[in-house]
Amino acid sequence: MRKALWHEGIRYRKNVKALPGCPDIAITKYKVAIFCDGEFWHGKNWKKLKETIKTNRDYWIPKLERNITRDNANEKKLENMGWVVLRFWGNEITKNLNGCVDEIKETIYAIKNGIYYLEYDDSMGLLAAENEQVYDEALV
């Protein structure tokens, strides 16, 4: 992922410890935090995965649930700091690297053009919002 982004001219910092969750890739110019998560460690399809764990369930289930909770908390902290958070699963990166890079490029494009913004809602906190109609028209 990093090599593909660099090839596209997207400059970033890796594993920025000063940010919550230490994002794998941080595009500081546009405040985009990217996490490349392993399916097992971060609980992809958790309800289904949980049932497949057969060995040492008393250890793995609470551990993975803590990971999921921590990931969600770090994502909220980043959003409260004004960062846009993108998460990609390992298999998604492996099978569709170009699609992942395109999603990052589209996010940067939207931020640069004021299409992607963070909206505050009193009942729910910060929400990432994108005006899709304006974005679609800008691509034409």
Side-chain angles (χ1 to χ4, degrees):
M1 172 82 82
R2 292 193 317 246
K3 188 174 183 179
L5 290 173
W6 196 266
H7 180 72
E8 291 289 332
I10 299 170
R11 300 301 177 242
Y12 56 85
R13 299 284 176 254
K14 57 183 187 171
N15 305 323
V16 179
K17 293 181 185 354
L19 293 174
C22 189
D24 298 303
I25 300 169
I27 304 170
T28 55
K29 183 175 182 179
Y30 301 107
K31 293 181 93 170
V32 176
I34 302 166
F35 292 91
C36 304
D37 294 339
E39 286 77 3
F40 178 75
W41 298 106
H42 296 273
K44 182 177 182 184
N45 298 326
W46 178 238
K47 288 183 182 180
K48 185 176 178 183
L49 175 63
K50 188 176 181 178
E51 299 304 317
T52 65
I53 298 173
K54 302 295 181 200
T55 308
N56 208 3
R57 290 176 58 87
D58 293 338
Y59 171 78
W60 286 112
I61 290 174
K63 176 175 180 41
L64 297 176
E65 287 176 345
R66 283 191 312 270
N67 288 353
I68 293 166
T69 302
R70 184 199 61 222
D71 289 345
N72 292 334
N74 286 329
E75 188 167 329
K76 285 181 182 168
K77 287 177 189 175
L78 283 164
E79 288 172 352
N80 286 331
M81 294 169 63
W83 285 74
V84 174
V85 178
L86 299 176
R87 290 190 175 275
F88 298 98
W89 295 109
N91 285 340
E92 180 183 10
I93 296 167
T94 303
K95 292 179 181 177
N96 187 16
L97 177 61
N98 291 334
C100 296
V101 170
D102 286 344
E103 184 175 339
I104 295 166
K105 287 170 43 179
E106 289 170 5
T107 301
I108 291 170
Y109 175 86
I111 291 168
K112 277 168 70 170
N113 292 291
I115 299 166
Y116 195 99
Y117 57 91
L118 291 175
E119 179 180 271
Y120 190 77
D121 178 347
D122 288 333
S123 64
M124 298 174 69
L126 281 175
L127 302 171
E130 186 173 338
N131 186 334
E132 295 177 16
Q133 182 180 8
V134 174
Y135 182 68
D136 290 339
E137 291 170 5
L139 291 176
V140 177

